Amino acid sequence: MDESNSFTLQSDETDVSALIDKHETIERNLTWEVRKLEKDKVLLENENLRLDREVKSLKSEINRFRTPPLVLATISEILEDNKVVVKSTTGPSFLLKYSDKDANAVEIGARVALNQQTFSIVEVITSEKDPLVSGMEIEEKPDISYDKIGGLKDQIRETIETVELPLKNPEIFKEVGITPPKGVLFYGPPGTGKTLLAKAVAHETNATFIKIVASEFVKKYIGEGSRLVRGVFELAKEKAPAIIFIDEIDAIAAKRLQGSTSGDREVQRTLMQLLAEMDGFESRGNVGIIAATNRPDILDPALIRPGRFDRIIEVPVPDEEGKLEILKIHTKNMTLDADVDLASIAKDAKEASGADLKSICTEAGMFAIRDDRYSVSKEHFVQALDKVMNKNKNKENQNEGVMFG
């Protein structure tokens, strides 16, 4: 009897332990299911938030598309009591009132957006700018100072007096009682340093530097060139103090003739717009103009008269002393042998421009590299001088043989 009771107890204990194990397994499974459901809940909530944001974004986009377009207009006159006269792009002019918050932005020539129904001013928008004109502004100053220009002491002095002084110290001109010079024209053979002088001015002053090659003003359609000229001067006035540098100005400033093609007439219209801007029918403020050309003989007399270009500065081929200064500048960082005599090289480099002298120094260095040398010898300079100057002579001989140029 005792044996049967003990067997029954053992079987009951086994059943109980099995039930406990089963209960623990079920509890673990349920716990895992609960955690999985909680994670799914978090994911669904995040997805719901994302979808809500997307719905709001789409609704705002739909509302933006449903908003009626605004009418563009230009302010032509400012009156008292917050009133302005605007000329709309649709044709008629309107007398409107503007809010006090727009008072600082309202000025003659500014563009405004008008409501189509009430024609009230919704906002004052920025002026229209041609991307070609905006791209002419030089953001970083050129790394050219007056110390890096040799043989042009007189030209540098005149440039400082004509361009830098009116920008840095305009009070001197008021005290003396004269009007500051408007512009300076550099002329001379190619490679003598005209563009370098303009870059040096940009480096030495804190003015905005706007550089353009005159051929960029020549456009296909009527009025485009004049619009670009006007845009350049408007940009200069907006960024004042500023310097406008027009390189190769002979591209649009050649003498006007009686017989001309339609293309020539369009170039002449561009020139007339340039003359009008330089005359300053509207005040240009502290804006200086620098131009450069190697063909002064073909320039229109109306451009080079006093009042437009007040200083006309010749930038000639440097003399022997100037050539020596230029060679010293370009060989400053070069490793030279003891037998190199820069004065002798300057004497032998007859009719060489500043660009030719720089090319001679570069070629001498290339000859040294060709010989696996780390320093430049006299022989390398002789070879470079022969190569560069003979190349120039060959070009001159070819030009002499051309009948039509």
Side-chain angles (χ1 to χ4, degrees), residues 146 153-168 173 201 204 311 313:
Y146 293 129
K153 291 180 181 177
D154 294 338
Q155 288 79 3
I156 290 172
R157 188 188 70 251
E158 291 191 27
T159 303
I160 292 172
E161 293 172 353
T162 309
V163 183
E164 276 194 42
L165 208 54
L167 294 175
K168 290 184 174 180
F173 295 91
V201 172
E204 297 293 337
R311 282 280 180 94
I313 301 174

Side-chain angles (χ1 to χ4, degrees), residues 190-192 196 318 323 326-331 334 336 342 345 349 351-370 376 379-393 395:
T192 51
L196 276 181
K323 289 186 177 73
I326 295 171
L327 286 172
K328 286 180 179 178
I329 291 170
H330 292 308
T331 58
M334 293 176 65
L336 305 179
L342 295 180
I345 297 169
E351 301 301 323
S353 64
D356 292 332
L357 294 171
K358 182 181 179 181
S359 179
I360 288 169
C361 294
T362 304
E363 288 293 339
M366 294 303 297
F367 280 120
I369 292 172
R370 186 181 298 176
V376 185
E379 182 61 29
H380 295 144
F381 272 101
V382 171
Q383 293 174 350
L385 190 65
D386 182 62
K387 180 178 179 180
V388 173
M389 299 315 294
N390 282 338
K391 187 192 299 182
N392 292 341
K393 286 179 182 177
K395 284 183 181 179

Side-chain angles (χ1 to χ4, degrees), residues 285-313:
N286 44 354
V287 177
I289 305 172
I290 303 175
T293 180
N294 51 25
R295 290 297 307 276
D297 54 306
I298 66 170
L299 293 181
D300 194 285
L303 183 73
I304 55 178
R305 71 162 175 81
R308 284 172 179 153
F309 283 114
D310 294 309
R311 282 280 180 94
I312 299 178
I313 301 174

Side-chain angles (χ1 to χ4, degrees), residues 32-166:
W32 183 82
E33 286 290 338
V34 168
R35 289 177 180 174
K36 183 175 179 297
L37 289 173
E38 287 177 348
K39 288 181 180 179
D40 291 342
K41 180 185 175 184
V42 172
L43 291 174
L44 289 172
E45 287 176 349
N46 290 337
E47 184 69 14
N48 190 33
L49 288 173
R50 188 186 67 79
L51 291 172
D52 285 343
R53 286 195 296 266
E54 190 171 344
V55 168
K56 288 180 182 178
S57 175
L58 291 172
K59 283 182 178 179
S60 64
E61 191 76 8
I62 290 171
N63 290 333
R64 189 173 65 83
F65 284 132
R66 286 177 176 172
T67 303
L70 303 176
V71 177
L72 286 179
T74 304
I75 298 175
S76 57
E77 189 177 353
I78 300 177
L79 307 176
E80 297 178 352
D81 299 327
N82 287 14
K83 293 180 181 179
V84 291
V85 177
V86 300
K87 172 77 173 176
S88 71
T89 53
T90 57
S93 298
F94 302 98
L95 176 62
L96 307 172
K97 292 196 72 174
Y98 60 89
S99 62
D100 292 332
K101 68 180 181 66
D102 295 327
N104 293 330
V106 170
E107 59 182 11
I108 294 177
R111 292 199 305 164
V112 292
L114 309 179
N115 185 289
Q116 270 196 341
Q117 296 176 345
T118 62
F119 290 104
S120 58
I121 296 177
V122 178
E123 63 176 321
V124 180
I125 56 180
T126 56
S127 300
E128 182 181 8
K129 282 186 181 139
D130 193 310
L132 288 175
V133 174
S134 301
M136 295 170 191
E137 181 183 349
I138 305 297
E139 298 292 343
E140 296 183 4
K141 288 186 177 182
D143 187 23
I144 300 292
S145 62
Y146 293 129
D147 297 335
K148 295 183 180 180
I149 302 176
L152 298 175
K153 291 180 181 177
D154 294 338
Q155 288 79 3
I156 290 172
R157 188 188 70 251
E158 291 191 27
T159 303
I160 292 172
E161 293 172 353
T162 309
V163 183
E164 276 194 42
L165 208 54

Side-chain angles (χ1 to χ4, degrees), residues 154-212:
D154 294 338
Q155 288 79 3
I156 290 172
R157 188 188 70 251
E158 291 191 27
T159 303
I160 292 172
E161 293 172 353
T162 309
V163 183
E164 276 194 42
L165 208 54
L167 294 175
K168 290 184 174 180
N169 197 359
E171 292 80 12
I172 293 179
F173 295 91
K174 289 182 181 179
E175 292 180 4
V176 176
I178 60 172
T179 305
K182 284 185 179 179
V184 55
L185 173 67
F186 297 133
Y187 74 94
T192 51
K194 300 183 292 295
T195 306
L196 276 181
L197 278 170
K199 288 182 178 179
V201 172
H203 177 82
E204 297 293 337
T205 61
N206 292 322
T208 303
F209 192 68
I210 302 170
K211 181 181 183 298
I212 182 172

